[in-house]
Structures are given as C-alpha cells and as structure tokens.
Amino acid sequence: HKKTCAPLTQKASALAQKRSAPAHINDVFASMSAAHDAGDWQGVLQWEGRFEELLARQDDAVCDRLFKTFLGAHMAGMSSAGGAIAFHALAIVRLGEERITLLGKMERFRDQGEAMCHVAMHLLLLQRRKDAGSYYQRARKLGAAHGFFSVECQACQGLGQLAMVEG
C-alpha cells in the first residue's frame, strides 16, 4: 500500500514560500505535529490546504493518522467558543468519507463502521437526515457482517435517535 514520494514541483514550492509556509513536506509535518501536540487546532488547520499533498506522499497508516489529526482539529474547532459549527461539520463529513474508503482498503472494518457512525452524527447536525440514515444503515450492516457488536449497536442507536426525531 505504499505510495511513491515524488519531490515537490517548483510551482508547489513557490506557492508554499509565498504563504510563508515550509516548502519541504517534512517541515510541514513537523510544524503540524507540534501544533497538534500543543493542542493548537488552528495551527493544525493552517496546513489543510496541503492535505492532498501530505496524503500523496504517505503509506496508508500515516494517511489514517493524518485524517484523524485533521478530524480532531475540526472537532476542537466545533467545540471552541464561537466555532463555526456548520463549517467544521462539513469538513468532518468530507474527511470522514475519505477516511471510510481508506479504512475499507486497509480492511479495518471496525474502525470503518465507527467512522460511518461519526459521519452520520455530523450529517444529523447539518440536518441531512436521509444521508445520516444511509450511513447508519451501512454501519449496522458492516457490524453485523463482521461480528462487531459495538458498531452494530452504535448504528442502531443512531437509527433509533433518527426515528425519534422523524416521528
């Protein structure tokens, strides 16, 4: 599952220097990791513009860690005073959907089911009940197929809450 690590193009390097950002990907990782370790979610999110570039240079396990880092930063952003809940919820859904695909590729089905429930919860925040229901159903089926009772229960609980809201 390893992907090749090609050097940055001159265009990407020039763009990075314009933003006063480290041009070398290892410097980006170091800066982002330091922000994450310090609990500085805004410091992590400043690198979101280079997220695809970061993913393209890593194996699947590191990609999953990157997804979790950015998802955590958006969760912290939602919790902050004056946080733009809809903005962060949309980002969590987008990142979560990509992570679900990655987890399936890695055959980490329990984590995949939990990620589906997480995406569904944020879709509910965005008033997208039909989409949330689809994710909860997928998670329930995945949990049942692989014998992950905790995933199945979490999905059933979400479906139950959804049914209560819809009446």
Side-chain angles (χ1 to χ4, degrees), residues 8-29:
L8 289 174
T9 63
Q10 289 179 345
K11 185 176 178 182
S13 180
L15 180 62
Q17 288 174 350
K18 269 187 183 178
R19 293 186 199 159
S20 300
H24 194 274
I25 205 70
N26 290 337
D27 295 335
V28 172
F29 266 105

Side-chain angles (χ1 to χ4, degrees), residues 92-104:
I92 289 168
V93 168
R94 180 184 53 80
L95 291 168
E97 289 173 335
E98 290 182 48
R99 183 171 182 247
I100 288 166
T101 301
L102 175 66
L103 292 169

Side-chain angles (χ1 to χ4, degrees), residues 8 29-30 57-58 62 68 70 77 79 91 110-111 121 129 133 139 151 160:
L8 289 174
F29 266 105
R57 302 175 185 287
Q58 304 306 318
V62 174
K68 289 193 295 191
F70 280 98
S79 300
R110 180 187 315 255
D111 292 335
M121 181 180 69
R129 291 183 183 98
V151 170

Side-chain angles (χ1 to χ4, degrees), residues 6-160:
L8 289 174
T9 63
Q10 289 179 345
K11 185 176 178 182
S13 180
L15 180 62
Q17 288 174 350
K18 269 187 183 178
R19 293 186 199 159
S20 300
H24 194 274
I25 205 70
N26 290 337
D27 295 335
V28 172
F29 266 105
S31 179
M32 189 179 68
S33 294
H36 179 262
D37 293 345
D40 177 12
W41 61 270
Q42 292 170 319
V44 172
L45 292 182
Q46 75 175 333
W47 302 112
E48 197 165 24
R50 294 184 75 178
F51 184 70
E52 293 299 323
E53 178 186 351
L54 291 167
L55 288 179
R57 302 175 185 287
Q58 304 306 318
D59 64 25
D60 290 344
V62 174
C63 288
D64 185 42
R65 199 169 78 228
L66 283 167
F67 275 115
K68 289 193 295 191
T69 298
F70 280 98
L71 285 164
H74 279 292
M75 290 294 295
M78 281 181 67
S79 300
S80 71
I85 292 174
F87 168 80
H88 292 292
L90 281 170
I92 289 168
V93 168
R94 180 184 53 80
L95 291 168
E97 289 173 335
E98 290 182 48
R99 183 171 182 247
I100 288 166
T101 301
L102 175 66
L103 292 169
K105 177 182 163 192
M106 296 171 70
E107 298 183 1
R108 289 180 38 200
F109 301 117
R110 180 187 315 255
D111 292 335
Q112 187 183 32
E114 290 172 356
M116 287 176 186
C117 290
H118 193 249
V119 166
M121 181 180 69
H122 286 87
L123 285 166
L124 285 175
L125 284 173
L126 296 167
Q127 302 297 314
R128 291 174 50 190
R129 291 183 183 98
K130 184 177 179 182
D131 293 332
S134 294
Y135 271 100
Y136 280 132
Q137 283 289 358
R138 286 176 56 201
R140 188 194 60 73
K141 288 177 184 174
L142 185 121
H146 293 280
F148 299 130
F149 184 68
S150 62
V151 170
E152 196 174 358
C153 286
Q154 186 178 1
C156 285
Q157 182 180 12
L159 286 167

